[in-house]
């Protein structure tokens, strides 16, 4: 069956290819949890522990076993969704992360959407009108965008829009205290509020989300705009565009269904890299805006040396990123029918 | 014989001409070089340039807005922000330069070996690089610093590790396409060892694109290091460092004391911007085709 359906075959093959990466990610995060400074048993036993209780902790944590056996135990725990216990919250790390993940995803995805909506038209316009003010604007945005420290942009926006102009709400979390958080359905406040039809809360959540999302979008805009411009320029200089123009097709048709569709491929590839940056920037933006996502959770855990929480966070982020790259590659096959045959 | 004696000279002159030509036609790169000079000057002479002691507290003089005495104002314990920003240049630059240097050296060695000999070495290296790249890089750096311990050296190692794949891949590609080139074979036949051919005949070809990568990477490394110290890793207060200064200043931004966070942030931005411009400029010199 697979040999007759090359596309399905390519898709399955790509999913299979993700496995070694997942294994690698798990190995690295295991090494990170075992590379704690000094003796982890001493650390987890606490400051006032004597030799005997340290030994007890060592046995309880399985640190007395050979490293390979420890790795097998670690994998077993992971398969059961056990990322260890957080020292600071006292709850399992997996539960904490699951509670806070929607907040991070809502922020990151909104920001990416915002960035795409602005950057792609900007890149297309810059490529179709080289030398115009749009082109110059695009160049400035691209160069400035990669030089902006996200945390600094966030603070600057807070100062201008909250302190000076007073148009933005105070940068403290997902919802002002005058609103009740919407009923938990998906964990995304915007979606939950819309589902129950509570538009006042929806607006409140949207207002809180705006500033952090814009901060992150400014950061992610640059690579997308740069790639769109470059891809459009090379697509527009291709022979088939000249042919299409010579054949008398309308400008709009040539631009959108011929050039843009071809330019979309490298742009989608860039999105994977941009998402990696966005997940990193997420940590900084969440700290600036006191956003209760997994990034600020990790930062709080770092401050009190809560290692299980930090490593759980690193692993979650990596798995999220692997999953997203997989989605992008699959999307790629959907956009470009040739890919399925080429990557056999 | 005379030919070989003259040609390096001519080539050298041609290259300088090209550099001057590019600089003249692209004043932005010239500005970047001037800014780089300023940054290096601050890094080297920072402590002597600073008008005040960056650690000297002066409580009655706290939270003063920028004035002629304190160009960038004073912070919440009365320290001079300008002095702190200038003095911090050295630390931030040291962290990023050290990190980039480590990833340059390690990446070059691994990438050359994998590109030249190929085989299982190549496969293993590629797998490892893929795995590193599978992490969101800033997050991986956080994890590494958390695991190794919260010190400045570990910030450097973490930044070096997350930068390393870019160099290793670049070198691997450059070496790989040249390992069977005529001059490499000739050098081999003339009795040079593999290592010598690799180091003296093939690797130098990878240097120009590497230089571009270094420059672009330095900006990124500074951003990364500042980001890590912004979330409380590595550098500890009261050490002057841009990321930590922005983090401390962030607490005062909602009450309107903007100078605490804005000046270190702007300085940081300027440094990153300089390296990015420089990278773009170097790329124009090295590879005119990739000009944007």
């Amino acid at each position: 069956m697979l040999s007759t359906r090359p596309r399905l075959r390519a898709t399955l093959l790509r999913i299979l290819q993700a496995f070694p990466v997942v294994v690698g990610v798990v190995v690295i995060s295991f090494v990170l949890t075992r590379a704690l400074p000094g003796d982890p048993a001493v650390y987890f036993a606490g400051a006032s522990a004597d030799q005997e209780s340290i030994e007890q902790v060592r046995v309880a944590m399985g640190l007395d076993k050979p490293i390979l056996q420890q790795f097998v135990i670690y994998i077993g725990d992971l398969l059961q969704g056990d990322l260890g216990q957080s020292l600071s919250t006292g709850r399992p790390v997996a539960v904490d992360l699951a509670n806070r993940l929607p907040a991070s995803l809502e922020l990151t995805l909104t920001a990416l959407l915002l960035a795409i909506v602005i950057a792609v038209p900007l890149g297309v316009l810059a490529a179709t009108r080289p030398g115009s003010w749009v082109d110059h604007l695009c160049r400035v945005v691209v160069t400035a965008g990669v030089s902006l420290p996200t945390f600094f942009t966030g603070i600057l926006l807070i100062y201008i829009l909250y302190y000076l102009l007073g148009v933005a709400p105070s940068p403290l979390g997902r919802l002002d205290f005058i609103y009740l958080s919407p009923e938990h359905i998906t964990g995304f406040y915007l979606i939950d509020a819309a589902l129950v039809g509570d538009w006042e809360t929806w607006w409140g959540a949207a207002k809180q989300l705006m500033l952090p999302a814009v901060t992150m979008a400014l950061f992610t805009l640059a690579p997308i705009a740069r790639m769109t411009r470059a891809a459009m320029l090379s697509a527009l200089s291709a022979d088939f565009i000249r042919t299409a123009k010579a054949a008398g097709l309308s400008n709009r048709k040539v631009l959108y269904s011929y050039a843009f569709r071809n330019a979309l491929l490298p742009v989608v590839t860039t999105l994977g890299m941009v998402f990696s940056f966005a997940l990193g920037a997420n940590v900084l933006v969440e700290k600036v805006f006191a956003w209760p996502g997994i990034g600020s959770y990790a930062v709080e855990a770092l401050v009190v040396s809560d290692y299980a929480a930090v490593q759980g966070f690193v692993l979650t982020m990596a798995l999220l990123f692997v999953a997203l790259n997989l989605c992008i590659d699959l999307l790629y096959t959907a956009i470009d029918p040739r890919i399925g045959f080429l990557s056999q | 014989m005379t030919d070989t004696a003259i040609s390096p000279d001519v080539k050298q002159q041609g290259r300088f001409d090209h550099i001057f030509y590019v600089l003249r036609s692209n004043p932005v790169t010239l500005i970047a070089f001037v800014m780089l000079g300023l940054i290096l000057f601050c890094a080297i002479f920072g402590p002597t340039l600073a008008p005040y002691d960056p650690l000297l507290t002066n409580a009655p003089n706290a939270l003063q807005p920028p004035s002629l005495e304190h160009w960038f104002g004073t912070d919440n314990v009365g320290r001079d922000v300008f002095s702190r920003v200038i003095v911090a240049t050295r630390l931030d630059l040291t962290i990023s330069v050290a990190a980039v240097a480590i990833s340059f050296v390690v990446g070059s060695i691994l990438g050359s070996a994998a590109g030249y000999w190929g085989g299982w070495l190549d496969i293993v290296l590629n797998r490892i690089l893929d795995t590193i790249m599978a992490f969101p890089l800033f997050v991986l750096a956080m994890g590494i610093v958390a695991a190794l311990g919260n010190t400045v050296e570990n910030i450097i190692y973490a930044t070096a590790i997350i930068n390393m794949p870019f160099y290793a891949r670049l070198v691997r590609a450059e070496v790989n396409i040249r390992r069977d080139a005529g001059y490499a074979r000739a050098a081999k036949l003339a009795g040079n060892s593999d290592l010598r051919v690799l180091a003296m005949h093939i690797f130098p070809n990878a240097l120009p694109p590497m230089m571009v990568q270094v420059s672009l990477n330095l900006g990124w490394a500074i951003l990364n290091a500042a980001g890590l110290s912004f979330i409380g890793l590595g550098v500890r207060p009261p050490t002057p460092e841009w990321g930590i200064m922005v983090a401390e200043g962030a607490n005062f931004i909602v009450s309107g004391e903007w100078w605490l966070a804005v000046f270190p942030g702007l300085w940081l931005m300027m440094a990153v911007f300089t390296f990015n411009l420089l990278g773009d400029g170097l790329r124009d010199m090295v590879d005119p085709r990739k000009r944007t």
Side-chain angles (χ1 to χ4, degrees):
Chain A
M1 188 191 98
L2 286 183
S3 56
T4 55
R5 300 175 67 179
R7 201 138 177 204
L8 183 69
R9 193 185 130 112
T11 308
L12 286 178
L13 216 80
R14 179 61 190 82
I15 293 175
L16 274 182
Q17 277 169 3
F19 274 98
V21 179
V22 170
V23 171
V25 164
V26 171
V27 169
I28 288 194
S29 62
F30 172 74
V31 170
L32 286 180
T33 49
R34 288 300 179 271
L36 292 179
D39 188 348
V42 175
Y43 172 76
F44 282 105
S48 59
D50 53 9
Q51 199 55 45
E52 199 179 333
S53 56
I54 289 175
E55 212 49 49
Q56 265 174 359
V57 170
R58 198 190 306 278
V59 175
M61 291 180 67
L63 291 170
D64 55 334
K65 301 192 175 73
I67 195 89
L68 268 179
Q69 199 182 343
Q70 286 186 38
F71 183 62
V72 173
I73 295 172
Y74 178 76
I75 299 228
D77 287 347
L78 276 189
L79 287 178
Q80 293 167 6
D82 182 5
L83 291 171
Q85 206 78 16
S86 162
L87 290 180
S88 44
T89 63
R91 283 190 297 270
V93 172
V95 173
D96 277 341
L97 288 176
N99 283 339
R100 281 164 163 260
L101 190 60
S104 296
L105 284 182
E106 187 171 40
L107 173 60
T108 312
L109 294 178
T110 312
L112 272 184
L113 203 67
L114 206 64
I116 294 171
V117 166
I118 298 171
V120 171
L122 186 67
V124 171
L125 282 176
T128 46
R129 295 175 182 74
S132 70
W133 64 268
V134 185
D135 193 19
H136 290 300
L137 179 74
C138 183
R139 193 167 303 162
V140 170
V141 164
V142 162
T143 322
V146 287
S147 312
L148 278 177
T150 354
F151 51 92
F152 179 58
T153 337
I155 288 170
L156 218 57
L157 286 179
I158 291 176
Y159 179 67
I160 295 170
L161 294 177
Y162 169 70
Y163 181 78
L164 286 185
L165 302 178
V167 286
S170 66
L172 292 169
R174 298 177 80 184
L175 209 50
D176 207 341
F177 61 89
I178 54 167
Y179 301 101
L180 286 174
S181 47
E183 197 185 334
H184 187 93
I185 304 169
T186 57
F188 290 71
Y189 278 9
L190 289 184
I191 296 177
D192 286 356
L195 281 180
V196 289
D198 183 356
W199 295 106
E200 207 179 322
T201 309
W202 188 89
W203 180 235
K207 272 198 300 192
Q208 291 291 129
L209 182 63
M210 224 49 234
L211 223 47
V214 167
T215 305
M216 223 152 98
L218 279 178
F219 178 70
T220 46
L221 213 113
I224 304 177
R226 164 180 259 177
M227 206 18 128
T228 314
R229 179 172 171 276
M232 263 318 256
L233 276 177
S234 74
L236 281 172
S237 65
D239 286 345
F240 61 83
I241 294 292
R242 202 184 44 198
T243 312
K245 275 188 184 151
L249 289 175
S250 72
N251 247 338
R252 172 180 281 267
K253 177 97 181 151
V254 171
L255 200 58
Y256 292 102
S257 24
Y258 285 65
F260 185 63
R261 188 143 185 230
N262 277 286
L264 216 52
L265 290 169
V267 175
V268 170
T269 318
T270 320
L271 279 184
M273 186 198 73
V274 167
F275 199 76
S276 160
F277 289 155
L279 286 179
N282 193 38
V283 178
L284 300 169
V285 174
E286 282 184 14
K287 171 150 198 294
V288 171
F289 290 93
W291 196 259
I294 57 173
S296 57
Y297 173 71
V299 172
E300 285 157 25
L302 269 177
V303 173
V304 294
S305 314
D306 185 355
Y307 294 113
V310 178
Q311 306 307 2
F313 160 76
V314 174
L315 182 65
T316 312
M317 283 294 220
L319 292 182
L320 205 65
F321 185 45
V322 172
L324 188 103
N325 269 329
L326 186 64
C327 290
I328 285 182
D329 277 12
L330 295 182
L331 185 68
Y332 213 93
T333 18
I335 297 177
D336 189 348
R338 289 167 304 182
I339 299 287
F341 299 96
L342 287 175
S343 65
Q344 280 175 34
Chain B
M1 279 311 283
T2 42
D3 257 9
T4 49
I6 291 170
S7 66
D9 215 39
V10 171
K11 200 178 145 203
Q12 204 62 27
Q13 200 191 356
R15 178 169 294 172
F16 280 127
D17 278 350
H18 180 57
I19 289 175
F20 283 130
Y21 169 75
V22 171
L23 280 184
R24 212 175 319 124
S25 63
N26 190 355
V28 177
T29 311
L30 194 65
I31 295 173
F33 271 109
V34 172
M35 276 158 69
L36 176 72
L38 179 71
I39 292 172
L40 287 179
F41 186 71
C42 287
I44 296 167
F45 300 105
T48 39
L49 281 178
Y52 297 88
D53 180 349
L55 299 176
L56 183 72
T57 58
N58 182 4
N61 212 10
L63 291 177
Q64 294 295 311
S67 62
L68 277 180
E69 281 127 88
H70 299 283
W71 289 1
F72 292 177
T74 60
D75 68 5
N76 54 324
V77 286
R79 292 173 300 202
D80 182 48
V81 176
F82 179 67
S83 305
R84 286 172 68 73
V85 166
I86 297 287
V87 171
T89 312
R90 185 184 286 179
L91 179 60
D92 278 87
L93 218 57
T94 310
I95 294 177
S96 47
V97 169
V100 169
I102 294 175
S103 38
F104 181 90
V105 172
V106 176
S108 299
I109 294 173
L110 291 180
S112 310
Y116 192 72
W117 283 290
W120 62 268
L121 189 70
D122 195 22
I123 296 171
V124 171
L125 181 77
N126 263 320
R127 277 280 152 269
I128 294 175
L129 295 184
D130 277 350
T131 314
I132 293 180
M133 301 290 278
F135 284 89
L137 294 176
F138 185 77
V139 172
L140 179 63
M142 277 172 69
I144 293 172
V145 177
L148 294 181
N150 195 350
T151 62
V152 176
E153 291 86 58
N154 289 336
I155 293 267
I156 296 177
Y157 296 140
T159 312
I161 291 174
I162 62 172
N163 276 323
M164 202 267 292
F166 298 102
Y167 293 94
R169 288 215 168 135
L170 189 67
V171 175
R172 187 199 161 276
E174 295 284 333
V175 168
N176 196 267
I177 52 170
R178 290 187 175 88
R179 76 172 164 182
D180 286 328
Y183 60 84
R185 290 189 170 184
K188 191 83 188 38
L189 279 176
N192 293 294
S193 68
D194 274 336
L195 258 182
R196 194 179 157 82
V197 173
L198 182 53
M200 309 300 284
H201 296 261
I202 300 182
F203 179 70
N205 289 299
L207 278 176
M210 291 283 273
M211 282 304 133
V212 176
Q213 182 70 23
V214 163
S215 178
L216 292 173
N217 233 206
L218 270 173
W220 198 59
I222 294 180
L223 267 188
N224 242 314
L228 287 173
S229 58
F230 178 77
I231 58 173
L233 286 176
V235 187
R236 283 164 202 272
T239 316
E241 194 277 338
W242 298 328
I244 222 166
M245 289 174 74
V246 175
E248 287 172 347
N251 302 324
F252 295 91
I253 207 93
V254 282
S255 50
E257 281 96 9
W258 52 273
W259 55 91
L260 265 66
V262 168
F263 286 116
L266 281 178
W267 204 266
L268 166 64
M269 224 175 86
M270 189 198 75
V272 180
F273 195 57
T274 304
F275 286 115
N276 282 339
L277 283 182
L278 215 58
D280 285 344
L282 284 179
R283 181 165 49 204
D284 288 354
M285 286 177 206
V286 168
D287 186 359
R289 280 165 307 167
K290 279 204 191 132
R291 243 164 154 171
T292 45

